Amino acid sequence: MKAIRRFTVRTVLPEELAALGRLAANLRWAWHVPTREVFAAVDPALWEAVDHDPLRLLGEVGAERLAELAADEAFRARLRAAADDLDGYLTEPRWYQGLPRDTGAEPPAAIAYFSAEYGLTAALPQYSGGLGILAGDHLKSASDLGVPLIGVGLLYRHGYFSQSLSPEGWQLEEYPELDPRGLPVTRLRHPDGAPAEVRIGLPGDRGLTAHVWVARVGRVPLLLLDADHEANDAELRRVTDRLYGGGTEHRLRQELLLGIGGLRAVRAYCALTGHPAPEVFHMNEGHAGFLGLERVREYVTGDGLTFEQAVEATRAGTVFTTHTPVPAGIDRFPRELVQRHFADDGTVEGLPPDQVMALGTENYEGGDPNVFNMAVMGMRLAQRVNGVSRLHGAVSREMFRGLWPGFDADEVPITSITNGVHARTWVAEEAQELARRMVADSDEFERPEGWRKVTGADERDLWEMRRTLRRRLVEDARRRLRRSWRRRGASHAELGWIDDVLDPDVLTIGFARRVPSYKRLTLMLRDRERLRRLLLHPERPVQIVISGKAHPADEGGKRLIQEIVRFADDPAVRHRVVFLPDYDMAVARSLVQGSDVWLNNPLRPLEACGTSGMKVALNGGLNLSVRDGWWDEWFDGSNGWAIPTADNVADPDRRDDLEAAALYSLIEEQVAPLFYDHDEGGLPKRWLEMVKHTLVSLGPKVLATRMVRDYVRELYQGAADSSRSLAADGLAGVRELAAWKQRVVQAWPGVHVEHVEAAGTADPPQAGDELDVRATLVLGDLDPADVRVEAALGRVGPEDELVDPSLVRLEPVAQEAPDGPLVRYAGRIPLHRAGAFGYTVRVLPDHPLLRHPAELGLIVAPEPPGEMRDGAVLR
Ligand SMILES: *Cc1c(COP(=O)(O)O)cnc(C)c1O
């Protein structure tokens, strides 16, 4: 029998145990140890069997056991305590509620956060990798901080995929069907009980209707749209079948549903629950870009704005986060496909198709005129754009500078907020317990002093904790390996060797990731003989636990997995290297907790941030990584190891050889000797020193609560402020800004720098002196109030550019008789140091409602040299 539709019957709990249902319905159980302990106590063996999933537990536990628990006073007391704790967590004021409110900068009433995937718990498999895990950690931390976030995503009926291996080590994919009624989600309903639904238009007068499910992530509601709705035909019901599956049009439909349907779901949710309307909209990567278009439509049809005005209003309240420096990772659609969806009878009625198309057009050098780029649209519809680590911010400014022509990369308005991880999700209970013993108030973990207290723990306890976690990883790995080999066709009798796989006292290296080529899964296999020697070293062996999924369409990635699996299948080394199939949050937890060392060897700078190494650091593990993403920023020379890179070697094979050799040497000469250097008491003192230093130096930084606070302070608050100043007085600012921009764009070709000169008070100028810069400009139809004129002074770089210039604003010089169309500007730049300098003058648009001078991508500088009289270098 094929095409079985699954359904789930929920248990009726005795009244005394009703709180169990409430606890299971809020995903806070996923990171709250006492709540998990209550569920474990319901039936410890069953709790293991259902992979720590409370709904499955409650679905399978027998009525007798429930009756027993209902009569068990001690259990009921624990249950009550957990339920009271949840109530307190959901209602008490938290960090956000304590933000100052009297300074005129009221924090945003709510923030809507849109993401194509969410990794919250293995029991809600709606993620493929880092992007989703990050979104999950963002929601959980927002909840912990009391940030009024509403999450928006899709409910995929088959999630991503689950991975197993063929006997030959080839990745096999399965797509088990998920029944939403068996997941920790409920329907959004109208007061009369009717389920809420949203509908979006599709070409050919078709519509796509979706259910709205709500997952409770602590205080944060997560709305999940599900196209498997009776109103849709069979094809459209499959729109939300799989994450990142299907063809281009399928993907486009998913993103239309996420962005447009998602905003409609937010509107419905706020109307039905009284939740305040979001003032800020956060697009987590380009998949969510259509959200901006739907907001534009709201302003056009609801407030009577023009398209240009509506874009300004939308931009002010929108934050866009880019997550990949890999051009192939950017979401792009064939132009004509998108065009078809926004043509006359299109998806978002009321928007001019040409202007919609212009938003996603790559009309810059190196751009492809035939594609519609979701990240580009996201950036055009968001006033605030950020990358996810300092290095990634710089790489993104370079990568997207075409959108701000005329500006140097370092002036491109893309900032960065480095990702973080949700500690309570990723840190082992034993490690949390050890930390709690040393630090009473969990707020202290936001500061290094709090972590310093943690490292005051007895070294013996710290090492015992590490050994416990390593032993648990070893046991978990054996269990998973056995399961994997059974599926690969081995009989129990052949698998006795698995009992001796891995050693709880051997230095354990963890390595787990998705398998795009830039992550270089197989770099460690570059010199197999050398790797074998490391694994089998008589005194200082290492063991490696590996896990990872390749995208189902990525044959190359699957080949890499097969290479690793085959290497690990070799009886000579199979006790020291294992591949665990089906990398998910459960495997990840086990690995990041139990590994002594976390290996990461991406091709720099293609890892935007990476977060798994942060999870390891919080568990007392050490990082061994290429200086990419977050590690480039926070490696301090003694909180782990940096694998030297051969960035400037053009031949990729040679680069891999060099970097692999550096990796082997580090393990051989530094990592392993440190790990095995025990004192008389059996403690690896110097290793533990490094662990402590890791905790103090990284602990406060890698927390997702730090990240969410940064988002609130640096982006959400500003977006709310910008949005409010544009919205005041019936959107007067929107109209003004849009009209001004239009005028400036039209008049800009008439702006010129006629003449620039500079003189010091002495000749030649001396350090300590000031350079008196004068410029004569033609402003055409613009007024001095429309522009800012700046002089830039700096050293001259190899390409005749100014390096790290200091900028000084020039002011119009009052004149008795205006000099025809010429306007004169002057200002003084202090000369702090001696040396050879260059200077130049530039003109930028300026308006109080403009957030960044580069926003319009307009700049005028004088025509190159020749014009300069006094020998100063001009760019
Ligand atoms: C943390 C985590 C990631 C992110 O890993 P990076 O390789 O560091 O980006 C991916 N998948 C899972 C399951 C994770 O837990």
Side-chain angles (χ1 to χ4, degrees):
M1 286 208 284
K2 282 278 158 76
I4 299 171
R5 305 281 300 184
R6 292 164 195 249
F7 67 101
T8 307
V9 181
R10 281 198 177 167
T11 314
V12 180
L13 291 166
E15 210 183 301
E16 297 86 340
L17 303 181
L20 278 175
R22 229 155 45 73
L23 289 174
N26 191 312
L27 286 168
R28 186 182 182 234
W29 62 255
W31 70 92
H32 191 244
V33 175
T35 305
R36 296 167 72 86
E37 284 170 350
V38 169
F39 285 119
V42 167
D43 184 335
L46 185 58
W47 177 243
E48 292 307 318
V50 299
D51 296 329
H52 300 188
D53 179 340
L55 282 182
R56 284 177 61 199
L57 176 88
L58 296 184
E60 293 179 28
V61 65
E64 256 167 65
R65 176 65 185 150
L66 287 175
E68 212 174 285
L69 289 169
D72 179 343
E73 194 43 59
F75 180 81
R76 277 166 43 197
R78 277 176 80 182
L79 178 58
R80 233 179 351 260
D84 289 348
D85 187 83
L86 178 63
D87 290 338
Y89 176 83
L90 295 178
T91 52
E92 280 158 13
R94 306 187 78 81
W95 171 77
Y96 196 82
Q97 286 65 40
L99 289 178
R101 262 144 230 277
D102 49 1
T103 54
E106 183 84 10
I111 299 115
Y113 179 92
F114 284 58
S115 177
E117 48 170 314
Y118 288 93
L120 291 158
T121 151
L124 188 59
Q126 301 286 316
Y127 59 92
S128 79
L131 182 72
I133 304 293
L134 177 81
D137 282 4
H138 195 99
L139 260 50
K140 291 168 180 173
S141 304
S143 170
D144 289 346
L145 294 169
V147 179
L149 209 76
I150 303 176
V152 182
L154 300 177
L155 186 84
Y156 303 95
R157 287 295 179 122
H158 298 270
Y160 188 45
F161 70 91
S162 67
Q163 178 200 50
S164 57
L165 297 172
S166 76
E168 296 74 36
W170 190 252
Q171 167 175 302
L172 304 175
E173 296 111 29
E174 269 183 281
Y175 294 88
E177 187 185 330
L178 303 166
D179 176 5
R181 289 162 202 85
L183 297 176
V185 295
T186 54
R187 269 176 200 269
L188 178 64
R189 290 184 188 279
H190 292 280
D192 65 1
E197 53 190 41
V198 296
R199 193 174 162 78
I200 65 168
L202 288 179
D205 280 334
R206 281 169 100 189
L208 174 64
T209 307
H211 299 289
V212 183
W213 298 94
V214 186
R216 297 267 150 213
V217 186
R219 299 163 72 113
V220 170
L222 169 60
L223 313 181
L224 295 169
L225 275 63
D226 166 14
D228 192 0
H229 190 287
E230 320 64 65
N232 299 326
D233 62 31
E235 186 197 6
L236 292 183
R237 287 183 86 143
R238 286 195 298 270
V239 163
T240 48
D241 56 352
R242 292 174 185 180
L243 174 59
Y244 304 144
T248 326
E249 179 154 11
H250 187 76
R251 185 82 173 259
L252 178 63
R253 286 172 173 166
Q254 290 187 335
E255 296 185 11
L256 290 166
L257 183 61
L258 173 64
I260 298 168
L263 183 57
R264 294 178 186 175
V266 169
R267 298 301 185 212
Y269 181 81
C270 293
L272 288 170
T273 62
H275 195 288
E279 292 188 271
V280 175
F281 295 81
H282 187 169
M283 300 171 181
N284 192 41
E285 203 33 287
H287 315 120
F290 291 120
L291 144 71
L293 278 188
E294 172 64 0
R295 290 188 62 222
V296 169
R297 186 198 64 81
E298 288 183 338
Y299 282 117
V300 169
T301 58
D303 299 282
L305 296 184
T306 64
F307 186 84
E308 292 79 5
Q309 292 167 342
V311 167
E312 291 309 326
T314 299
R315 281 171 52 81
T318 304
V319 174
F320 179 88
T321 303
T322 169
H323 285 267
T324 175
V326 186
I330 302 279
D331 210 18
R332 295 152 104 217
F333 290 109
R335 198 181 155 79
E336 73 279 354
L337 178 67
V338 179
Q339 190 131 31
R340 186 144 53 73
H341 283 77
F342 288 95
D344 319 325
D345 63 343
T347 309
V348 179
E349 61 285 5
L351 294 186
D354 289 350
Q355 283 171 295
V356 170
M357 294 310 294
L359 288 170
T361 299
E362 298 183 347
N363 57 344
Y364 44 77
E365 211 182 302
D368 180 345
N370 298 316
V371 304
F372 186 92
N373 184 317
M374 293 297 287
V376 164
M377 178 171 73
M379 292 187 189
R380 288 189 173 128
L381 288 175
Q383 211 174 41
R384 288 167 176 77
V385 179
N386 71 297
V388 291
S389 68
R390 195 176 57 190
L391 178 62
H392 179 235
V395 171
S396 302
R397 287 191 285 277
E398 192 62 56
M399 184 167 163
F400 292 106
R401 62 189 288 188
L403 289 175
W404 292 273
F407 288 86
D408 291 344
D410 58 7
E411 285 191 285
V412 164
I414 300 179
T415 57
S416 67
I417 290 182
T418 305
N419 287 341
V421 297
H422 185 252
R424 287 196 170 83
T425 297
W426 298 109
V427 180
E429 287 156 24
E430 290 83 352
Q432 292 191 43
E433 155 66 23
L434 190 70
R436 263 198 306 273
R437 256 191 276 152
M438 309 306 295
V439 178
D441 175 1
S442 65
D443 281 350
E444 290 192 66
F445 291 118
E446 307 290 337
R447 293 179 293 276
E449 302 83 71
W451 290 90
R452 228 165 261 133
K453 285 193 197 168
V454 173
T455 61
D458 188 272
E459 289 193 336
R460 204 155 292 283
D461 292 346
L462 189 57
W463 186 237
E464 258 329 297
M465 183 273 283
R466 290 297 319 155
R467 294 188 64 205
T468 305
L469 302 189
R470 191 185 315 112
R471 194 173 318 114
R472 189 180 306 143
L473 168 61
V474 166
E475 282 160 12
D476 188 47
R478 288 175 185 161
R479 200 162 41 236
R480 290 176 189 275
L481 193 64
R482 183 177 302 279
R483 215 187 298 160
S484 173
W485 271 106
R486 295 281 293 148
R487 298 199 56 165
R488 292 175 76 183
S491 68
H492 274 306
E494 295 168 272
L495 296 178
W497 59 275
I498 289 183
D499 294 336
D500 298 317
V501 158
L502 303 180
D503 180 330
D505 289 313
V506 163
L507 168 58
T508 305
I509 299 181
F511 185 76
R513 55 220 53 255
R514 288 177 304 116
V515 191
S517 53
Y518 78 85
K519 299 234 186 197
R520 294 193 295 188
L521 182 73
T522 52
L523 188 74
M524 68 174 88
L525 298 185
R526 224 44 218 179
D527 181 343
R528 291 172 186 230
E529 258 329 295
R530 197 156 172 202
L531 177 61
R532 276 191 199 101
R533 284 203 302 276
L534 284 175
L535 298 172
L536 303 175
H537 193 286
E539 291 96 41
R540 296 190 298 273
V542 301
Q543 57 193 10
I544 309 182
V545 187
I546 305 166
S547 192
K549 284 177 171 180
H551 186 279
D554 177 12
E555 295 291 305
K558 292 186 206 177
R559 261 195 302 279
L560 298 182
I561 288 178
Q562 188 175 37
E563 265 184 66
I564 282 276
V565 171
R566 290 204 162 150
F567 180 82
D569 283 352
D570 177 355
V573 293
R574 67 186 181 188
H575 59 299
R576 286 280 152 75
V577 53
V578 299
F579 180 88
L580 306 181
D582 206 19
Y583 182 42
D584 69 354
M585 288 182 74
V587 175
R589 269 169 64 95
S590 188
L591 269 166
V592 300
Q593 295 174 0
S595 298
D596 298 296
V597 171
W598 196 249
L599 173 62
N600 191 24
N601 51 31
L603 261 180
R604 189 174 187 274
L606 298 183
E607 176 104 298
C609 180
T611 53
S612 43
M614 300 181 182
K615 303 168 192 167
V616 171
L618 289 178
N619 280 289
L622 298 174
N623 278 272
L624 168 61
S625 171
V626 161
R627 286 194 77 153
D628 200 2
W630 74 283
W631 194 235
D632 182 64
E633 197 168 328
W634 292 334
F635 170 64
D636 70 359
S638 47
N639 54 5
W641 298 272
I643 304 169
T645 47
D647 291 359
N648 46 2
V649 174
D651 174 8
D653 265 336
R654 202 170 131 59
R655 178 172 172 175
D656 282 0
D657 279 339
L658 288 170
E659 295 185 8
L663 168 63
Y664 300 132
S665 301
L666 266 175
I667 296 175
E668 215 163 65
E669 291 158 20
Q670 298 192 33
V671 182
L674 197 67
F675 181 87
Y676 288 107
D677 175 17
H678 288 205
D679 69 2
E680 324 69 77
L683 283 182
K685 288 271 190 190
R686 291 195 304 138
W687 183 272
L688 290 173
E689 278 311 310
M690 205 174 210
V691 168
K692 289 182 186 180
H693 179 62
T694 289
L695 291 171
V696 175
S697 66
L698 297 178
K701 293 184 179 133
V702 302
L703 297 179
T705 41
R706 185 274 310 151
M707 166 182 79
V708 171
R709 284 175 215 245
D710 286 352
Y711 272 99
V712 169
R713 292 193 195 111
E714 294 170 27
L715 298 176
Y716 296 164
Q717 183 67 53
D721 293 344
S722 297
S723 195
R724 288 168 192 161
S725 54
L726 286 192
D729 300 327
L731 296 160
V734 169
R735 293 175 222 273
E736 183 187 332
L737 183 60
W740 176 82
K741 277 194 180 177
Q742 216 160 3
R743 188 163 65 79
V744 169
V745 170
Q746 266 163 17
W748 201 252
V751 177
H752 298 285
V753 180
E754 276 288 307
H755 177 75
V756 179
E757 62 185 26
T761 35
D763 186 19
Q766 298 177 348
D769 207 354
E770 281 187 330
L771 196 67
D772 185 4
V773 181
R774 292 172 177 274
T776 310
L777 269 57
V778 177
L779 294 180
D781 293 334
L782 298 183
D783 294 327
D786 294 325
V787 298
R788 81 186 269 134
V789 180
E790 292 172 342
L793 172 88
R795 291 183 186 279
V796 181
E799 287 169 24
D800 253 10
E801 81 285 14
L802 294 181
V803 180
D804 288 336
S806 48
L807 294 174
V808 165
R809 188 160 183 169
L810 304 186
E811 300 297 339
V813 183
Q815 289 172 323
E816 280 169 21
D819 218 354
L822 299 180
V823 190
R824 293 181 196 286
Y825 279 79
R828 285 167 173 278
I829 312 184
L831 299 170
H832 294 300
R833 283 172 301 142
F837 292 97
Y839 74 91
T840 186
V841 165
R842 55 192 212 161
V843 189
L844 307 148
D846 192 32
H847 189 279
L849 292 173
L850 210 57
R851 162 153 155 79
H852 192 284
E855 193 170 317
L856 283 166
L858 297 177
I859 185 166
V860 166
E863 293 306 319
E867 304 240 339
M868 305 303 297
R869 310 262 164 80
D870 49 2
V873 186
L874 175 72
R875 74 177 289 221

